[in-house]
Amino acid sequence: GDSVTQMEGPVTLSEEAFLTINCTYTATGYPSLFWYVQYPGEGLQLLLKATKADDKGSNKGFEATYRKETTSFHLEKGSVQVSDSAVYFCALSAGMNRDDKIIFGKGTRLHILP
Amino acid sequence: DVKVTQSSRYLVKRTGEKVFLECVQDMDHENMFWYRQDPGLGLRLIYFSYDVKMKEKGDIPEGYSVSREKKERFSLILESASTNQTSMYLCASSTQGLLNTEAFFGQGTRLTVV
């Protein structure tokens, strides 16, 4: 079945460091791909998305490119801030049927040190 | 502003109690979901619903049931709460029929069963 694998955390970086969180997927169709973020004590919120191969999603300085050839959707940010400390989830939505689900990775906790 | 609202942020219940977790969305979404979130396990789907009175089991439905009598409301029921159901519960909703549909999440309910 469809699945999402993302790098284990926690990831600890200093402020202004470069961030990469790896995400790879397995899907039979042509999924849409998402990154969600969960700040402490809150639910998940959409950070960015991409709907087809070579699309780049971006928001708040974060970027991810839909790579069909490597089945990847790695999250990157050039200079992280303390306020980026959160848990990040990679996810895919595989179809248009009414009972299709969104499939999440296990999440990567990010700590940014001042 | 779109909203998914969960009835409680924190709940403490006793073993054996019947527990109701309520979720309401104001976006006229067809799909609604209940997840539980545990450290190291990410989000696991308990049940989802793609229409009023319709429900589908997710990955971990044992010990839970759901009710969807109205489009905007999706309830999760713990028939007889047990300590291993202590967790963070997240409700989400999404539209149907769009490949790039995203899920909108509530703020979560942290349930402790003692």
Side-chain angles (χ1 to χ4, degrees):
Chain A
D2 297 344
S3 66
V4 173
T5 303
Q6 61 183 106
M7 61 190 290
E8 302 241 351
V11 173
T12 303
L13 296 171
S14 297
E15 205 166 22
E16 299 183 3
F18 185 86
L19 168 71
T20 300
I21 300 178
N22 290 336
C23 172
T24 57
Y25 67 90
T26 303
T28 52
Y30 299 93
S32 292
L33 302 174
F34 308 89
W35 277 100
Y36 285 82
V37 59
Q38 184 181 33
Y39 297 106
E42 298 183 12
L44 279 71
Q45 56 185 275
L46 182 69
L47 179 61
L48 53 84
K49 65 182 180 184
T51 59
K52 61 184 187 298
D54 300 324
D55 265 5
K56 179 186 281 188
S58 62
N59 186 25
K60 299 183 181 180
F62 290 89
E63 292 183 340
T65 301
Y66 189 142
R67 300 287 188 200
K68 189 168 181 291
E69 64 277 12
T70 55
T71 62
S72 65
F73 193 55
H74 305 320
L75 183 68
E76 296 182 335
K77 187 175 185 183
S79 176
V80 292
Q81 307 300 313
V82 171
S83 57
D84 294 327
S85 298
V87 181
Y88 293 82
F89 292 89
C90 185
L92 68 83
S93 174
M96 298 175 64
N97 296 323
R98 62 187 305 180
D99 57 347
D100 282 327
K101 300 172 292 221
I102 299 176
I103 297 168
F104 289 87
K106 291 189 175 181
T108 303
R109 184 174 297 276
L110 175 65
H111 294 290
I112 305 300
L113 304 174
Chain B
D1 201 13
V2 297
K3 242 183 173 168
V4 178
T5 303
Q6 295 182 228
S7 52
S8 305
R9 290 295 298 269
Y10 301 94
L11 274 179
V12 180
K13 296 292 182 180
R14 295 195 178 279
T15 300
E17 275 193 78
K18 190 169 186 176
V19 180
F20 292 86
L21 302 183
E22 307 286 345
C23 176
V24 176
Q25 50 98 1
D26 65 0
M27 296 166 281
D28 202 35
H29 284 168
E30 295 85 359
N31 295 339
M32 296 189 75
F33 308 84
W34 275 106
Y35 295 88
R36 64 177 282 177
Q37 182 181 13
D38 300 288
L41 298 177
L43 281 90
R44 293 182 291 168
L45 182 64
I46 304 171
Y47 268 98
F48 70 104
S49 168
Y50 52 83
D51 202 350
V52 175
K53 297 192 187 294
M54 304 304 290
K55 61 184 179 184
E56 292 281 341
K57 292 181 180 178
D59 301 314
I60 51 163
E62 297 78 18
Y64 302 94
S65 62
V66 291
S67 172
R68 191 151 179 220
E69 296 296 319
K70 293 185 177 181
K71 190 176 185 180
E72 67 270 18
R73 187 179 297 270
F74 192 35
S75 303
L76 180 69
I77 303 154
L78 286 65
E79 296 289 343
S80 177
S82 64
T83 55
N84 63 11
Q85 292 178 310
T86 292
S87 187
M88 169 72 92
Y89 290 88
L90 292 167
C91 175
S93 71
S94 70
T95 56
Q96 278 178 11
L98 298 172
L99 190 59
N100 61 347
T101 186
E102 64 182 269
F104 293 85
F105 282 82
Q107 77 277 29
T109 296
R110 186 166 294 282
L111 173 66
T112 303
V113 182
V114 297

